Amino acid sequence: MVHPESKAGYLYNPSLRSWKILTNWKYSQIPLIKFWLIWNTLVAGAFVAMHASLGNDHGAIIDFKATASQTFDLYKLFFPFVSIIGSFYTNVTYNRWWTIRDQLRIVMGGGIDASMHIAAECTRPDVRREMIRYISLAQAIVLFQFRTFYGDKDGDGDMDENDIQLFDEKTGEEFNSQEDWLQHLENRGTCTREEKEVIKKAAAPFHLPYEWFLCLLSSAAANGDLKNPIPTAIELGTKISTMRGGVTNILMHLSTPTPFPYFYSFRVITLATILLTPLAVAGIGPSSTATYALEVIASCIATFFVASLWSMAVLLADPFGFDVCDFPLEKEWAKSETLMMQQISAIEKHPGIPSLYHQGLPYATNSTSTVLKGVPASGVTYSYSPAGATTMAGAATVVNSPVGMMVPTSTPVIYPNLN
């Protein structure tokens, strides 16, 4: 199966011209409801043609005018109900879709945020990379869980390889089972063989990489591999808990869909309304050739409205499939992993940036003030102040910046103690 180009709902641009929006119909719900549009248009056309050619004057068995009128009366009973229940159901699924999108941002984006803290605080490159690896492993595992939560995506009654179709964004390889996916993660170095075997036996495997990360974080703090062990451990521990909580929130939303009786009623009423549309709309006008085309068009528009409520709810119900509004999980994971590695690579490859941070500023404190000793640079002594702090009398001109102030001076400058 060829994966569609997922737009995840972001194709919409309010500045686009109307005609440009209409030309993007293949990313809309029209492909899903094309059968109903074609079928109802043909039925409406046939009904109008029979009405025009036979009619009551030709001794037709069916009174087309009376049939259209009675069907329209019945249609008027269904249409408001399907509009209300359909709009409500679509709104519920959209809110659910957006909530999952927001939580997915926490799961994937949280790793990027954590990697910045890891790069800044962890002094050992091997520990840094192991921490990043565990975050990436957790994301890869939840990627599989999200994709396979609703097993039967193609509607054939079972979960098979066509319902999974995970692929590596970088290599293009496709994987259709948990065994293949975990083996791929082992081959690419995202997990070890022992970790793979443990993950295969776990009931909720995404918890494990987060737990292993926290164990490694605790060990790094105890071994002095963190520059500021206590605040760093607290910050990273909080971020890991937040990411894990995001996963559980997504799984909770996936496991609590709209109750089936409500869903069933909506489907039945919608189907009945769609089937009645061509008979109700076509033929209700005067017996004039000029109105026939308008009746067929009106039937098509009414069918589009009702069927769209149905199809939009279906598209939004499972955001981890292959529809155009589903989330591109593989791309999200590849982007997150790339950006996480970029954070620590920047520190390792360019250790002189930022210079003051890597040289280190020794602190001398007392009960009322903090002294930041200057760092020699090009024959000039500098001292650094937090943003918004005030230099004492006699200090040289202050150069303001969004993050703080760099003060050229010949002696250490004393600033108010913020502790």
Side-chain angles (χ1 to χ4, degrees), residues 103-119 128 131-136 138-139 210 213 236 239-240 242-244 332-333 335-344:
Q103 294 299 314
L104 187 64
R105 175 190 60 81
I106 294 174
V107 175
M108 295 299 181
I112 302 171
D113 195 12
S115 67
M116 292 190 291
H117 289 270
I118 294 170
R128 288 190 205 124
M131 288 181 173
I132 297 299
R133 182 176 71 82
Y134 281 132
I135 295 177
S136 180
Q139 293 174 343
Y210 291 135
F213 177 96
L236 289 177
K239 291 185 180 301
I240 290 298
T242 302
M243 286 187 281
R244 190 205 63 81
E332 294 275 2
W333 179 50
K335 179 176 68 175
S336 176
E337 189 177 54
T338 299
L339 292 178
M340 286 191 295
M341 292 305 301
Q342 177 181 292
Q343 310 303 326
I344 62 174

Side-chain angles (χ1 to χ4, degrees), residues 222-233:
N223 295 333
D225 297 329
L226 302 178
K227 296 176 181 178
N228 300 286
I230 295 179
T232 301

Side-chain angles (χ1 to χ4, degrees), residues 120-358:
E121 295 292 341
C122 186
T123 58
R124 285 182 54 181
D126 57 336
V127 176
R128 288 190 205 124
R129 293 178 178 274
E130 277 291 274
M131 288 181 173
I132 297 299
R133 182 176 71 82
Y134 281 132
I135 295 177
S136 180
L137 177 58
Q139 293 174 343
I141 292 174
V142 300
L143 186 152
F144 182 87
Q145 287 193 267
F146 294 161
R147 175 62 56 79
T148 59
F149 193 91
Y150 292 137
D152 184 18
K153 296 185 184 299
D154 56 8
D156 62 356
D158 61 354
M159 186 177 76
D160 50 35
E161 60 182 23
N162 293 325
D163 298 313
I164 302 176
Q165 298 187 55
L166 285 173
F167 65 95
D168 191 309
E169 183 71 17
K170 297 178 181 178
T171 65
E173 297 176 84
E174 187 174 299
F175 309 93
N176 297 309
S177 67
Q178 183 187 39
E179 178 66 31
D180 292 343
W181 181 243
L182 291 177
Q183 185 60 50
H184 173 65
L185 296 180
E186 180 187 350
N187 294 341
R188 73 194 299 271
T190 308
C191 72
T192 65
R193 179 172 299 180
E194 183 180 6
E195 290 167 351
K196 182 188 72 174
E197 296 302 322
V198 174
I199 290 171
K200 288 167 59 177
K201 299 176 183 177
F206 73 90
H207 291 281
L208 296 175
Y210 291 135
E211 179 183 343
W212 295 332
F213 177 96
L214 293 176
C215 291
L216 185 59
L217 176 64
S218 178
S219 176
N223 295 333
D225 297 329
L226 302 178
K227 296 176 181 178
N228 300 286
I230 295 179
T232 301
I234 294 175
E235 181 70 21
L236 289 177
T238 301
K239 291 185 180 301
I240 290 298
S241 296
T242 302
M243 286 187 281
R244 190 205 63 81
V247 177
T248 57
N249 285 338
I250 292 175
L251 293 175
M252 180 193 70
H253 279 82
L254 292 177
S255 63
T256 53
T258 305
F260 183 75
Y262 186 97
F263 175 78
Y264 183 82
S265 300
F266 170 61
R267 283 296 180 90
V268 171
I269 296 297
T270 302
L271 181 61
T273 304
I274 290 175
L275 293 176
L276 287 174
T277 298
L279 302 180
V281 178
I284 61 173
S287 300
S288 171
T289 306
T291 65
Y292 293 155
L294 181 60
E295 291 170 7
V296 175
I297 294 174
S299 174
C300 183
I301 294 175
T303 302
F304 174 80
F305 174 78
V306 178
S308 291
L309 294 176
W310 178 337
S311 64
M312 284 189 292
V314 171
L315 285 173
L316 296 173
D318 179 13
F320 299 117
F322 309 115
D323 297 318
V324 294
C325 66
D326 291 340
F327 306 136
L329 290 175
E330 293 90 342
K331 291 183 179 180
E332 294 275 2
W333 179 50
K335 179 176 68 175
S336 176
E337 189 177 54
T338 299
L339 292 178
M340 286 191 295
M341 292 305 301
Q342 177 181 292
Q343 310 303 326
I344 62 174
S345 295
I347 292 292
E348 294 172 1
K349 294 180 179 179
H350 305 281
I353 304 175
S355 58
L356 289 181
Y357 171 81
H358 287 282

